[in-house]
Amino acid sequence: MNTPTLLRMTAPLRDDFDIPYHDVGPVERTPRLALVAGLHGNELNGVFVLARLAAFLRDVEQGKRPDLRLRERVLLVPAVNVLGVNLLSRVWPFDKIDLNRVFPGLEGGETTQRIAAALLRLTRGAYYRIDIHSSNLDIEELPQVRLYAPNDDERATACLFGLPAVIERPLNKMFMATLVHAWRAHGGENFVLQAGRAGDLQSRHCETLFRSLVAFLDRTGIVEGLTLADDEEDLHYFGLRQSYAVLSEQAGFFVGRIDPGRWVQAGELLGHLYDGFTGDLLKDVHTPVAGLVCSVRRQPLLFEGDLLCRIQTLDDSGNDVEVMLHGQGQ
Ligand SMILES: [Zn+2]
């Protein structure tokens, strides 16, 4: 197997190292799809799922799945922050820079700028581009499609993944240097997938993510011959005003009583807040709104104003945009 390299780097006192990627399908074609994960080295769900998807596509390409045909060229970069993955580090380990805050990067710049520029150069020609993330160490996310100021094509295509939630977000100044924002300058259709929590592998979310990507390959005609189980998909599209962030009113230990993916009624119990020293129950936390629970706090140590849960609502949530942006972890 000939593995292409995104970038080769040297280090002061160790061997050179590479960022490898997969290039499958007809080489003479312009890539139809680029898949990226591991910009944050501790977000393992995407890294694992893209590696597994590359194995699947290679089997198809090599004829080991005679019922299937790979019609288009696909690029997969499972672990951009290749050193960070080895150390379970969100940021680039040498200088602690967040790789998803340096786009469009700079050819001939510092290491992280060169990585960003090389990744953009590799992926910008593909029509569909997907960047996969988990949340941070604190929050677990229901597998979902995130759209940032999308066009109508992206709104329609986002539903092809068959994930339970498609969530629109406003463009925020904080996120102008992300990969998905840099992609926007090159047209095409661009998506962020979010699934689970950083620092850990959640196999249930990985399975959902893998299935969603295979469904996407099928529905975009990139892989032919798949017969996917046509189970009733419960897909919901949530606009900008349909997100409600439940924030902590005081510090303490949060013990959640709910999983991402649950539909709740207004007034339902989300969890308990305890005093970390006395152990006293400080408060039962209830949701003020009904909807789909998409984000849940798993790391229990709380300060006032921390995000406990994010609930996607069927109507206008009444929450303002800044609160909606809280702790989004991309
Ligand atoms: Zn991330």
Side-chain angles (χ1 to χ4, degrees):
M1 191 170 88
N2 183 22
T3 305
T5 297
L6 177 71
L7 193 68
R8 162 149 294 185
M9 285 162 283
T10 55
L13 209 68
R14 52 154 289 167
D15 293 338
D16 295 351
F17 59 97
D18 301 328
I19 302 175
Y21 67 93
H22 303 272
D23 185 345
V24 291
V27 285
E28 70 284 359
R29 304 281 287 269
T30 303
R32 184 72 174 152
L33 167 65
L35 291 148
V36 173
L39 273 170
H40 296 136
N42 63 353
E43 297 177 9
L44 302 180
N45 290 336
V47 174
F48 181 64
V49 166
L50 283 199
R52 297 289 302 141
L53 192 69
F56 167 73
L57 290 174
R58 204 164 293 285
D59 281 355
V60 176
E61 186 183 39
Q62 292 171 351
K64 293 178 185 165
R65 302 283 302 262
D67 44 332
L68 304 181
R69 294 283 296 277
L70 181 56
R71 288 284 180 202
E72 303 277 355
R73 185 172 165 201
V74 180
L75 305 173
L76 306 96
V77 193
V80 180
N81 185 354
V82 67
L83 290 187
V85 172
N86 281 285
L87 299 169
L88 205 60
S89 161
R90 174 183 169 93
V91 295
W92 185 252
F94 289 150
D95 51 14
K96 309 286 186 275
I97 286 176
D98 186 328
L99 273 171
N100 207 23
R101 300 290 183 272
V102 294
F103 286 91
L106 185 65
E107 310 270 357
E110 291 178 14
T111 303
T112 49
Q113 295 172 319
R114 284 193 293 128
I115 294 170
L119 184 62
L120 194 56
R121 186 171 4 101
L122 177 76
T123 55
R124 69 188 170 203
Y127 179 75
Y128 296 116
R129 313 180 191 100
I130 301 170
D131 181 20
I132 304 176
H133 289 262
S134 303
S135 187
N136 50 32
L137 291 165
D138 297 349
I139 306 291
E140 181 181 358
E141 291 283 346
L142 179 71
Q144 61 194 252
V145 187
R146 289 267 181 99
L147 296 174
Y148 295 85
N151 59 41
D152 286 342
D153 288 340
E154 289 167 331
R155 287 193 179 95
T157 304
C159 299
L160 301 183
F161 294 98
L163 287 170
V166 177
I167 301 175
E168 269 196 39
R169 294 271 177 205
L171 270 183
N172 179 294
K173 282 203 191 75
M174 257 176 74
F175 297 108
M176 290 301 188
T178 61
L179 173 60
V180 76
H181 189 76
W183 277 340
R184 289 164 59 87
H186 299 279
E189 296 185 33
N190 307 299
F191 307 94
V192 171
L193 301 188
Q194 277 262 6
R197 174 186 171 193
D200 193 12
L201 196 72
Q202 294 97 35
S203 54
R204 193 168 57 93
H205 294 324
C206 288
E207 281 165 28
T208 304
L209 207 50
F210 187 87
R211 264 204 318 271
S212 75
L213 291 171
V214 171
F216 185 86
L217 292 168
D218 174 48
R219 290 165 182 169
T220 52
I222 293 171
V223 171
E224 240 176 42
L226 286 159
T227 43
L228 302 177
D230 213 13
D231 34 351
E232 209 42 35
E233 274 169 8
D234 197 18
L235 182 149
H236 286 84
Y237 195 101
F238 299 100
L240 286 182
R241 302 288 310 165
Q242 293 172 265
S243 188
Y244 190 96
V246 182
L247 304 182
S248 173
E249 292 168 4
Q250 60 195 112
F253 263 65
F254 179 66
V255 179
R257 288 279 179 247
I258 203 135
D259 290 321
R262 262 275 302 282
W263 285 87
V264 289
Q265 299 297 323
E268 233 179 287
L269 182 73
L270 297 176
H272 312 286
L273 186 63
Y274 292 92
D275 184 293
F277 179 67
T278 66
D280 290 337
L281 176 68
L282 299 174
K283 197 175 189 304
D284 288 329
V285 180
H286 300 271
T287 171
V289 297
L292 176 63
V293 178
C294 278
S295 322
V296 174
R297 168 167 289 272
R298 293 304 191 199
Q299 190 280 102
L301 299 173
L302 272 190
F303 289 92
E304 187 182 334
D306 281 349
L307 181 73
L308 297 177
C309 288
R310 191 184 287 105
I311 294 166
Q312 301 302 134
T313 57
L314 292 176
D315 303 311
D316 189 329
S317 71
N319 232 193
D320 71 51
V321 169
E322 284 311 309
V323 173
M324 283 160 48
L325 280 168
H326 196 91
Q328 66 177 350
Q330 193 224 138

